[in-house]
Amino acid sequence: MSDTDRFPALAKEHLHPIDENALLAPEHKTHAPRILLLYGSLRERSYSRLATFESARILDQLGAETRIFDPTGLPLPDGAPKEHPKVVELRELAIWSEGMVWCSPERHGAMTGVMKSQIDWLPLSMGGIRPTQGRTLAVMQVNGGSQSFNAVNQLRILGRWMRMVTIPNQSSVPKAFNEFDADGRMRPSPYYNRIVDVMEELVKFTLLVRDRADYLVDRYSERVETAEAVSKRVNQGAI
């Protein structure tokens, strides 16, 4: 039986053998891992912001380069053109990054609108560039009451939808108002230790993934679609 008979739906020329060298011995980047951190509250004393800044300090100590996006002034999705300065800033930071941290309060059993708006402004594709695909992601949440995982579970779903590599570990800080001192620094606790665990794991995964990201997200379906699009364009003028 021929391959055509065995796989009648398969475009065999677009099914490439797995390149082990691209996975095991890729070209090695030497710059510090680039991590973008997003938080989900505009309150003056925002515990998601404080947890995010604490995370950035840990990442800096681990040798990463960090940038934190301030969502103040970011318009609602579709409420302003994509040329809005805050939208441009967010998208440029996403393109710059190799990994991200998303930290949201849990409000009414879900992530906040501030958090979701930031993610919604990040398109899957932008002028041939994908600002999230293949990047690593760590998810965190802070709670006003007892510990919950609703927000981090939702953030994981969004990370998958945005085609990101979401690390296994995560952080959920209950009664966050008890965990930070007057200067906004997190007190020693098992919750602080978990954040350190998450940031350490994120850096490790980022170092593993970033050299292989383009190959990891190279898809058969998109190669077929691209070939069909090129063929259609070339043959538009055919008689």
Side-chain angles (χ1 to χ4, degrees), residues 35-39 49 52-53 56 66-70 89 93:
I35 308 297
L36 170 62
L37 299 94
L38 308 180
Y39 59 88
R49 183 176 68 246
T52 296
F53 274 79
T66 60
R67 298 184 185 178
I68 300 173
F69 177 72
D70 179 357
E89 178 189 357
L93 285 172

Side-chain angles (χ1 to χ4, degrees), residues 68-235:
I68 300 173
F69 177 72
D70 179 357
T72 303
L74 182 70
L76 289 173
D78 303 323
K82 63 184 179 181
E83 292 80 15
H84 188 284
K86 292 298 291 188
V87 176
V88 172
E89 178 189 357
L90 175 60
R91 292 183 172 189
E92 288 180 347
L93 285 172
I95 292 169
W96 165 86
S97 71
E98 297 168 331
M100 295 189 193
V101 176
W102 294 351
C103 181
S104 178
E106 181 171 318
R107 183 172 296 165
H108 301 314
M111 77 182 77
T112 61
V114 174
M115 188 79 245
K116 184 65 161 54
S117 290
Q118 292 174 82
I119 299 168
D120 284 348
W121 272 118
L122 297 175
L124 286 174
S125 182
M126 185 175 66
I129 299 173
R130 289 170 171 150
T132 56
Q133 181 165 276
R135 285 156 174 77
T136 53
L137 173 65
V139 295
M140 301 169 53
Q141 73 172 77
V142 296
N143 309 281
S146 59
Q147 192 171 47
S148 172
F149 301 95
N150 290 324
V152 289
N153 288 338
Q154 292 173 337
L155 291 171
R156 283 189 177 277
I157 292 172
L158 284 172
R160 182 173 72 240
W161 188 260
M162 302 302 287
R163 301 176 180 177
M164 303 179 77
V165 180
T166 308
I167 66 171
N169 215 337
Q170 62 187 26
S171 169
S172 174
V173 181
K175 297 182 179 178
F177 54 85
N178 287 331
E179 301 302 323
F180 294 86
D181 63 23
D183 295 324
R185 297 304 305 271
M186 195 168 183
R187 298 185 173 98
S189 72
Y191 303 118
Y192 176 82
N193 294 347
R194 173 57 69 89
I195 290 178
V196 176
D197 287 347
V198 172
M199 295 307 110
E200 189 177 54
E201 189 172 288
L202 177 63
V203 172
K204 292 175 182 178
F205 270 77
T206 303
L207 289 171
L208 280 172
V209 168
R210 68 177 184 177
D211 295 329
R212 303 162 172 81
D214 289 343
Y215 184 65
L216 287 171
V217 299
D218 179 42
R219 294 182 177 85
Y220 163 80
S221 60
E222 293 182 350
R223 293 194 296 270
V224 171
E225 181 182 17
T226 300
E228 290 177 349
V230 171
S231 177
K232 182 177 180 180
R233 174 174 53 80
V234 170
N235 293 320

